[in-house]
Amino acid sequence: MDGDDRQPRHGGLVLPDGYGGQLARWSLPENGFDPTHAPGVYSFVYGNVGVVALDANDVSYEITANLGYTGGKQTEWLDGRLRELRATKGVDFVVVFFHHCAYSTSSHASDGGVRAEWLPLFAKHQVDLVINGHNHVYERTDAIRNNAVGRAVPIGASTDPTRDGIVYVTAGGGGRDLYGFPAGVKESYEGHVTRHGTVDTVRWEKGQHTEAETVEWSRVRYRGFSLLSVEAESGSTPRLKVSALDGNGKRIDHFEVRRGR
């Protein structure tokens, strides 16, 4: 949901933040900070993975209809929930997902509001993987630390968030019309790796304007239909095995996350 439709109804009432449609159609976990007015914010533990869902409409500089609608409460909840998950016995990994992209070079590009509000918390609590949508492509970064490449993560490589930084995945090639990448920027994916270099793109800033940026973190790019697979292994050497598959099930990317190697 992009936050620009503020009229869906729930129980015969128009909800001002536009989430009546979500409440009417889905039963979502109600353990977020405000399940009635922010139904897309919740968390759960599956196996050895803690998962956190966020509503980026609250912090987006690109689509501002609901910018700041929680008054900072979502970010406060996020800080506390990440702390709890890191302290939970048996939770080896923490994965966060939300709509707007922290790092992407495709049509909607990167959202500076997401970066400003949430990336410091992701770094503080050493989140292991961040998954976004919004851009209708597959794009995956190197490990990013302090807004720059902390460590290159080529296809098939492994990375350690406690040392290298966090990998961000845009998994938006799921069904709607597909997007592309900036002019002159080639796709690069498993079986079709092109020369790695910089990409000229933009990020959204306050006032709904964009700032140009030249980035080195765009490692894998694929504009066909795709899906993301995340497999968690526990035991003496826990790991997240992350793979992207095209519409025919052929792998277009894979890497591993291992903590404290």
Side-chain angles (χ1 to χ4, degrees):
M1 184 173 183
D2 286 344
D4 52 1
D5 181 0
R6 300 167 68 85
Q7 299 305 316
R9 294 177 179 271
H10 176 62
L13 299 175
V14 175
L15 299 183
D17 297 321
Y19 298 128
Q22 284 184 301
L23 289 167
R25 291 171 174 81
W26 297 305
S27 295
L28 298 172
E30 296 186 350
N31 59 1
F33 70 95
D34 189 342
T36 299
H37 295 95
V41 182
Y42 55 87
S43 178
F44 60 89
V45 174
Y46 187 83
N48 63 334
V49 181
V51 181
V52 179
L54 300 175
D55 177 12
N57 293 321
D58 188 25
V59 299
S60 173
Y61 288 163
E62 179 197 8
I63 299 174
T64 59
N66 284 354
L67 177 61
Y69 83 98
T70 75
K73 293 180 180 179
Q74 179 178 199
T75 300
E76 292 176 6
W77 174 86
L78 172 63
D79 190 13
R81 186 57 183 142
L82 292 177
R83 184 181 301 109
E84 290 172 355
L85 288 171
R86 278 290 170 229
T88 300
K89 184 178 180 180
V91 172
D92 295 315
F93 301 103
V94 175
V95 176
V96 178
F97 74 92
F98 50 92
H99 191 67
H100 301 69
C101 297
Y103 292 99
S104 180
T105 65
S106 188
S107 300
H108 290 289
S110 305
D111 199 303
V114 168
R115 292 189 190 180
E117 292 295 321
W118 292 343
L119 266 59
L121 295 182
F122 297 163
K124 173 184 175 182
H125 298 288
Q126 296 180 344
V127 167
D128 297 290
L129 178 67
V130 176
I131 303 172
N132 299 139
H134 204 28
N135 284 309
H136 299 180
V137 295
Y138 176 82
E139 186 170 18
R140 195 258 294 170
T141 71
D142 287 319
I144 296 179
R145 189 181 186 94
N146 297 325
N147 204 40
V149 176
R151 185 180 180 88
V153 185
I155 294 169
S158 63
T159 181
D160 178 358
T162 69
R163 176 196 64 197
D164 305 333
I166 302 169
V167 173
Y168 293 79
V169 175
T170 299
R176 292 294 301 272
D177 293 340
L178 297 167
Y179 298 170
F181 294 99
V185 176
K186 297 180 179 180
E187 293 178 88
S188 185
Y189 53 90
E190 190 165 347
H192 183 77
V193 176
T194 57
R195 182 176 179 180
H196 182 69
T198 60
V199 176
D200 292 326
T201 181
V202 298
R203 69 179 181 277
W204 287 92
E205 292 295 344
K206 288 183 178 179
Q208 288 185 297
H209 77 274
T210 58
E211 293 285 344
E213 60 178 6
T214 300
V215 304
E216 297 180 347
W217 40 254
S218 180
R219 174 60 59 174
V220 181
R221 296 176 296 276
Y222 180 76
R223 68 175 310 274
F225 292 113
S226 61
L227 60 86
L228 190 70
S229 168
V230 181
E231 302 174 81
E233 294 183 356
S234 57
S236 58
T237 55
R239 61 178 176 171
L240 283 181
K241 298 168 63 177
V242 185
S243 302
L245 310 176
D246 71 10
N248 296 314
K250 183 178 179 180
R251 197 171 64 187
I252 56 173
D253 185 25
H254 72 287
F255 66 98
E256 291 185 354
V257 179
R258 300 187 183 188
R259 295 180 61 83
R261 292 185 298 114

